[in-house]
Amino acid sequence: MMNQDHVLRASQDDEMESLVLHDDNDSSGNSQQPQSPKSPFNSFLDPPSYAEAIFTSFDSNGHDQTLEPSPRSGSESDYIQIMVSDPQEEQELTNSLVPGGTTYHTYLITTRTNKPEFGGVGSEFSVRRRFREVVTLSERLSEAYRGYVIPVRPEKSSVERKVMQKEEFVEQRRVALEKYLKKLGSHPVIGKSEELKLFLEVQGKLPLMRSTDVASRMLDGAVRLPRQLFGAEPVAVDLNDVVQPAKSGRDLLRIFKELKQSVTNDWGAAKPLVVEEDKDFMEKKDKLMEFEQQLSNVSQQAESLVKFQQDMGETMGELGLAFVKLTKFETEEALFETQRVRAGDMRNVATAAVKSSRLYRELNTQTIKHLDKLHEYLGTMLAINNAFSDRSSALLTVQTLSSELASLHLRIEKLEVASSRIFGGDKSRMRKIEELKEAVRVTESAKNCADREYERIKENNRSELERIDKERQTDFQSMLRGFVVNQAGYAEKMAAVWEKLAEETATYSRDSS
């Protein structure tokens, strides 16, 4: 049904073009001259005077440069341009005997930059990547830059892939990947990262790091868990794993302990030994949650506005087309001169309606470009929540290790009391005490490491919130100015169309009298 509507609408647009444009004479009988083909406007129209500040910034490719600011990272002279193009379908190499097999798409990623991390002035290089490698990049960045507001990568969209045409899906993914990589490149920290540099420069398949092999980590943890539970393997904490979330580590026992600590925090009567004490951060977090709700509401209203302008443009176009058909009928079937005059009047109304229809469509295109910033910031809010989750996860690790230390000290104290009641001491208890003291030493080292990681993430959160607050002020000012200027400009142009027609119709009453 949607495809049929699209075809019908396209045929209506074609009909309006052929019936109105090829014979669009002005009041003096001279046809309007078409504009230069480079102009982003239809042959009917000149740019609205209020909107020239926006439209004159269009480059030769039709992109509004005011909507694509230069990267904020580094000095003003630093830049990085990332383009995703030329999707190619390739065959998945498998050991299957079935011919054909599965296919996937790769994308050509071209980078131009003068950043010293990429070789300095005039550097340009290209690689081919598939979506799976983008997922790998995202996972590496999440592990290496905890606490930072990392742009959220595009979803796999398996459902959309099934319901959309292949070409449409591939193009949609290409656009999404380009936006994602541009955001990574403009980030003041991620844009300089070795992970992004490796992704953009290294030819061939992107090598998997050991830390990102989730399946092998979980398998290794499943093998170790029974030995840990039954005491066949000492419960020693890997300091490398401490700086990563429990869910991505090899120690399933740690996962269970942190889960237990989380339940205790939520339901237990005892207060955790370590709590979030940064009241300023908690206030900012609450305000950001409220901002996200308000942003979601504005985004929904923006979508309603776009839908209204689209419907208004289509309705105006259909009205103009209907008047064109009526004009044609009156002209061809005219028996009296009054019918021909009436046909001319209706033709003027049809022309005004078609012009308004096109103005609404152009206005809607600009509205989408400006108000899309609202949708972008909803994605930013998701990235902020991810950064806050890093902080909560790190705090949970500190809380778990603190509880573990308290438990170890309590066990040692009980064993020492029990051993002191036996003359000469209890050798088995003394041996157990020594083992527990070694566990205390290891756990204290792990807790110190976890404390440092927690403080690092807190600092990353703080600096990122300051950065985003500054960027939000600039982005929203630009968005609002562009939106208002376009609304004013197109309102002026639409008014001019109907005012001209009103002047013509004002003579009707005088003629009739």
Side-chain angles (χ1 to χ4, degrees), residues 282-336:
M282 297 303 294
E283 290 177 359
K284 288 181 179 179
K285 184 177 179 181
D286 291 339
K287 289 180 180 179
L288 281 171
M289 292 178 63
E290 294 177 6
F291 171 74
E292 184 176 8
Q293 293 176 353
Q294 298 298 328
L295 185 64
S296 177
N297 181 51
V298 175
S299 178
Q300 290 175 7
Q301 297 306 316
E303 289 183 4
S304 298
L305 173 64
V306 168
K307 181 65 168 58
F308 166 77
Q309 291 179 164
Q310 178 182 341
D311 291 344
M312 192 68 182
E314 291 175 359
T315 303
M316 273 290 186
E318 291 168 0
L319 175 64
L321 180 58
F323 269 118
V324 166
K325 291 179 178 179
L326 183 57
T327 299
K328 183 178 179 182
F329 175 80
E330 289 274 38
T331 302
E332 293 176 350
E333 303 296 328
L335 298 177
F336 306 100

Side-chain angles (χ1 to χ4, degrees), residues 17 30 77 82 87 92 115 131 140-141 162 190 263 293-294 314 325 343 347 356 373 392 405 410 418 438 440 468 488:
E17 293 282 349
N30 298 323
S77 60
I82 303 175
E92 187 81 68
K115 286 188 175 184
F131 187 76
R140 291 185 188 178
L141 294 175
K162 293 178 181 178
I190 305 299
V263 173
Q293 293 176 353
Q294 298 298 328
E314 291 175 359
K325 291 179 178 179
R347 180 187 178 281
S356 294
K373 185 62 68 176
S392 298
L405 272 175
L410 182 60
E438 176 62 19
V440 166
I468 289 173

Side-chain angles (χ1 to χ4, degrees), residues 42-56:
N42 293 285
S43 57
F44 257 128
L45 310 168
D46 296 321
S49 59
Y50 288 154
E52 284 181 355
I54 298 296
F55 296 140
T56 53

Side-chain angles (χ1 to χ4, degrees), residues 242-258:
V242 167
V243 297
Q244 293 299 330
K247 62 182 180 180
S248 64
R250 293 175 179 270
D251 195 339
L252 292 188
L253 187 59
R254 176 189 163 195
I255 296 176
F256 293 152
K257 286 183 177 180
E258 292 197 1

Side-chain angles (χ1 to χ4, degrees), residues 186-224:
S186 66
H187 192 285
V189 176
I190 305 299
K192 301 177 182 180
S193 67
E194 188 65 26
E195 289 80 2
L196 182 61
K197 183 174 183 292
L198 180 71
F199 179 87
L200 295 175
E201 286 187 330
V202 174
Q203 297 293 330
K205 184 178 179 181
L206 191 67
L208 282 172
M209 295 174 62
R210 177 174 175 267
S211 62
T212 62
D213 188 356
V214 178
S216 67
R217 287 201 302 267
M218 297 305 293
L219 179 62
D220 183 55
V223 171
R224 294 174 58 193

Side-chain angles (χ1 to χ4, degrees), residues 1-9 168:
M1 185 64 182
M2 292 181 63
N3 291 334
Q4 291 176 351
D5 291 342
H6 178 75
V7 172
L8 178 60
R9 192 176 300 122
E168 184 182 1

